[in-house]
Amino acid sequence: VSGPFTVPALHAAYAAGLSPEAVIDEALRRLDAADDDGIFLHVESRAALMAAVASLGPFDPAAKPLWGIPFAVKDNIDVGDRTTTAACPAYAYRAERDAFCVAALRAAGAILIGKTNLDQFATGLVGVRTPFPAPRNAVDPALAPGGSSSGSAVAVSRGIVAFALGTDTAGSGRVPAAYNNIVGLKPTLGAISSTGVVPACRSLDTVSVLALTVDDAYRAYRVAARPDPADAYSRNFATSPLSGPPPAFRIGIPDAASREFFGDADQERSFLDALRLVETLGGDLVEIDFAPFYETAQMLYEGPWVAERFVVLEEMLATQPEAVHPVTRAIIEKGRDMSAADLFRGIYRLKALERITASATASLDALCVPTVPTFYTVADIAADPVGTNARLGTYTNFVNLLDMCGIAVPTGPRADGRPGSITLLARADRDAAIAALAREIHALSAPTLGATGAPLPQAAALPFGPAEDEIELAVVG
Amino acid sequence: VSGPFTVPALHAAYAAGLSPEAVIDEALRRLDAADDDGIFLHVESRAALMAAVASLGPFDPAAKPLWGIPFAVKDNIDVGDRTTTAACPAYAYRAERDAFCVAALRAAGAILIGKTNLDQFATGLVGVRTPFPAPRNAVDPALAPGGSSSGSAVAVSRGIVAFALGTDTAGSGRVPAAYNNIVGLKPTLGAISSTGVVPACRSLDTVSVLALTVDDAYRAYRVAARPDPADAYSRNFATSPLSGPPPAFRIGIPDAASREFFGDADQERSFLDALRLVETLGGDLVEIDFAPFYETAQMLYEGPWVAERFVVLEEMLATQPEAVHPVTRAIIEKGRDMSAADLFRGIYRLKALERITASATASLDALCVPTVPTFYTVADIAADPVGTNARLGTYTNFVNLLDMCGIAVPTGPRADGRPGSITLLARADRDAAIAALAREIHALSAPTLGATGAPLPQAAALPFGPAEDEIELAVVG
């Protein structure tokens, strides 16, 4: 087990006789080699891991599509009989049971390695807003790890786990993916249940999946995405298997006037190069004005949706405000003074922006944006914790407010060696379509996997159209 | 033109040579005979009416399905070059153009007679919260007219117009229908554009239609219901023509423990009699617990949605609070102190209640409830303006919060002679289905029309299933 942990590689090895115990030991060895106490807030004991492996039963990837696959869980997601901290020790509680999605993944054979660090309460895109040591960026330790799913992204990028759960309200699953050269799949809101997940902005939260490849991210997503009657925000989407991309498609991109890189010419070049790949795949690029998307984005941290974060912390801010990270506290406390009238005005404006953006994108198959506009170092963020964070959300903050799905995919190194990444976005329930496209872009860019240095393995070509286990439905009404 | 104004009767008379001028004069004569200054806040001049008639062109009911049909508009809906007051003189403004729906009705040949009185800002179900003289109930002057679409309901009940537009947020289109023995069609939210309508609770408002018969209400609804790109809350529903009811259907009713008549045995008896009619038509009655519906209802006036009304009046309450009706002011001012956090908590609870009620009604074609639990006199309301109003909304307040459509239909006199009325409710976009059922219930009850004393005309039987001008769509995906 020397190569990166991907599901196809591990399952091929298991089929050839490798023991999952050996994979677990290798995962622990890689964790040790990473020499970074900031990645995990809790690691399962070797005894617990071996017990989990022992309960797997014989290798059966049909019945258990994640059989023997090591994974990690962001520490705002419950694991039964473990502490959930949301990176706030004062908030910590012992979870009675697995979150709905964790239970589904474990039932499918995935082996939980541990719980990962995050921007406290999943509020932040930087990865350093934690009272614990922040994880180091896996690609370049000078860079911020990206957040809020910082530990999950670093654990995947370093090859410690094959995939990890994050969450994503404002970009928490996509920004750290870009910063660590991995795939970040942000499902349509409600596709994965939030039962057992600490809310950030409850109406806008989703669990997300971080992985080295699109195939692995999508495989874990399909296992985790199932309707949950106990979560009022859960929706019932039929997740189809991945297919190939359509022969031709229309992709919206920000027009020149509304593209924003904050002076980072390498990032602009990287994005333009990625667009050439999209064209190579048959994509017709359509420039659109992103001003309405940016206006939407601003409502998340500068408008009444901040009050949604305040709902979660109201009691703690009243009783022990010093327990909350000072940057996080300063942001969330603004939610206290927002009135219901402010929120209704925000809801009306959002409704209008939904209409405007839906109209602008009606003829498009997807949007393509840079995942991040630029890179910030840990030092940059220390110098301006709020401004850097706000700029990082340029291409991510609006997505959940507009009920879109997204997937961030590496596109190879920029001129300066930092990882390139674009994000495909589409309307609700188009997760499979953008994953199919992201898979092709990834293959064509062929970057190394995360920080492992290993090449992207060649994946099987998939035909366009419904896959074998799909049933065509005829609806006559 | 001696009988009630219904579309079939007027169109038959027009086809036989009657002039629309004669109908307009008869409408003005009936208004004069009503001797009630509280019905209309503005009546078109005879010269303006005759000019409108002159511009109709030759009688052509196919091109203009409302050719020569007199109608009225609640005075929170704009008519071009006329004043909109919302029953608040200090709020009054001259409208530049017709509301989107009024323009559609006039383009279809309807003749606007005038603008009707209402509970100020459409806040109330009683019809007496107006600084103008309140309209008298058309059936019994001791009774409240019902509101907030009080003038529209009375104008229809007295036969002055064939139909009238109301609005309906909490029951404003259904309660006055029940109080005046007429039909009140409350469309699915967004089916009729709100462009040019003074908001009450903008996210929960709809224009509604009051008429003597289901056929007439539904005809006007079909003309008015069309998508409006300028209204972010507008939705695109394909309104189908009325068909007959299905041979068998399942109707949910409040179980005995959750039925509420506030001691009014006549109303209970009237409701039970109406349920027998539903069974006669093939309806299978299913008792359900209405507690979650009532919990939903309470959020409208006792929860954070009050702040939505405050948004509309914030400026006026700051600058000239005395211009607002004192009862209305006391209610709406509570919205000032509601926080965005309160509203988010309300939104979460509503989301849970949506789930609970959807699950309880999933196997049902519709719900059937009393439109009102009881009757209040003008004196009752003067003695307890808030309590009576709250009780009147028992079976109406929850409907728009749960995104249901509804239609109130007379079921004949109660033991004491007061008008019986039931309301059918269904999930969004089932307007045609419940109208089809309401039409049969109305025919079987055969009450007199409004306060006209005239019998319900026999309407043609309609076959169950898609009507002639519908195209069956085959969707294969």
Side-chain angles (χ1 to χ4, degrees), chain B residues 28-365:
Chain B
L28 295 175
R29 195 198 63 72
R30 292 180 186 182
L31 170 56
D32 194 52
D35 191 26
D36 183 350
D37 287 342
I39 305 175
F40 282 90
L41 299 184
H42 163 79
V43 178
E44 292 289 291
S45 70
R46 190 169 179 283
L49 287 165
M50 292 306 159
V53 165
S55 72
L56 275 176
F59 178 58
D60 182 352
K64 294 189 168 179
L66 297 170
W67 195 97
I69 305 299
F71 80 115
V73 166
K74 186 176 180 178
D75 200 24
N76 59 347
I77 301 174
D78 287 350
V79 169
D81 207 28
R82 299 290 180 269
T83 299
T84 302
T85 67
C88 179
Y91 182 84
Y93 61 90
R94 195 80 171 173
E96 278 187 41
R97 59 183 67 84
D98 283 357
F100 189 88
C101 58
V102 170
L105 293 165
R106 292 172 113 176
I111 304 292
L112 180 84
I113 300 295
K115 305 198 68 185
T116 57
N117 203 350
L118 64 152
D119 284 317
Q120 191 179 74
F121 295 112
T123 296
L125 298 171
V126 288
V128 299
R129 292 179 182 169
T130 168
F132 303 105
R136 292 196 310 276
N137 185 296
V139 172
D140 175 353
L143 292 177
S148 65
S149 310
S150 50
S152 284
V154 170
V156 168
S157 184
R158 288 194 180 278
I160 298 165
V161 291
F163 73 91
L165 295 184
T167 58
D168 191 320
T169 304
S172 285
R174 290 160 282 162
V175 170
Y179 266 54
N180 290 281
N181 196 36
I182 63 172
V183 171
L185 188 161
K186 187 219 76 68
T188 300
L189 291 178
I192 299 182
S193 163
S194 289
T195 297
V197 182
V198 178
C201 273
R202 189 177 157 200
S203 70
L204 300 173
D205 293 338
T206 176
V207 170
S208 75
V209 184
L210 299 141
L212 293 173
T213 69
V214 173
D215 282 355
D216 283 3
Y218 195 77
R219 177 178 287 242
Y221 161 70
R222 278 197 82 195
V223 169
R226 44 200 61 190
D228 172 10
D231 173 10
Y233 282 91
S234 167
R235 296 196 274 183
N236 191 353
F237 296 126
T239 59
S240 51
L242 275 188
S243 69
F249 47 91
R250 287 163 61 82
I251 299 288
I253 59 171
D255 62 20
S258 57
R259 243 171 259 162
E260 185 55 82
F261 298 98
F262 301 104
D264 186 341
D266 282 347
Q267 188 70 352
E268 182 170 16
R269 166 61 41 211
S270 173
F271 178 62
L272 295 175
D273 287 347
L275 294 181
R276 295 296 83 76
L277 296 187
V278 172
E279 290 185 306
T280 304
L281 291 166
D284 187 11
L285 302 181
V286 181
E287 296 209 338
I288 62 176
D289 174 15
F290 257 55
F293 295 91
Y294 298 148
E295 185 187 341
T296 305
Q298 284 188 326
M299 291 202 273
L300 198 61
Y301 278 113
E302 290 161 48
W305 272 265
V306 174
E308 195 161 19
R309 298 180 192 265
F310 178 73
V311 170
V312 181
L313 293 189
E314 182 164 16
E315 194 189 322
M316 178 165 291
L317 289 172
T319 57
Q320 38 180 336
E322 71 295 334
V324 180
H325 191 284
V327 176
T328 310
R329 188 166 76 221
I331 293 164
I332 295 182
E333 273 183 338
K334 285 191 287 181
R336 188 199 312 270
D337 300 325
M338 286 165 182
S339 71
D342 293 334
L343 179 52
F344 274 118
R345 280 185 282 259
I347 288 170
Y348 302 152
R349 184 60 193 153
L350 176 59
K351 198 87 183 169
L353 288 163
E354 282 171 11
R355 199 55 64 101
I356 292 164
T357 54
S359 166
T361 59
S363 71
L364 304 174
D365 294 287

Side-chain angles (χ1 to χ4, degrees), chain A residues 145-194:
Chain A
S148 66
S149 310
S150 51
S152 283
V154 170
V156 168
S157 184
R158 289 194 180 278
I160 299 165
V161 292
F163 73 91
L165 295 185
T167 58
D168 192 320
T169 304
S172 284
R174 289 160 281 160
V175 170
Y179 266 54
N180 290 281
N181 195 36
I182 62 172
V183 172
L185 188 161
K186 187 218 76 67
T188 300
L189 291 178
I192 299 181
S193 163
S194 289

Side-chain angles (χ1 to χ4, degrees), chain B residues 455-467:
Chain B
L456 176 67
Q458 216 165 357
L462 295 171
F464 173 57

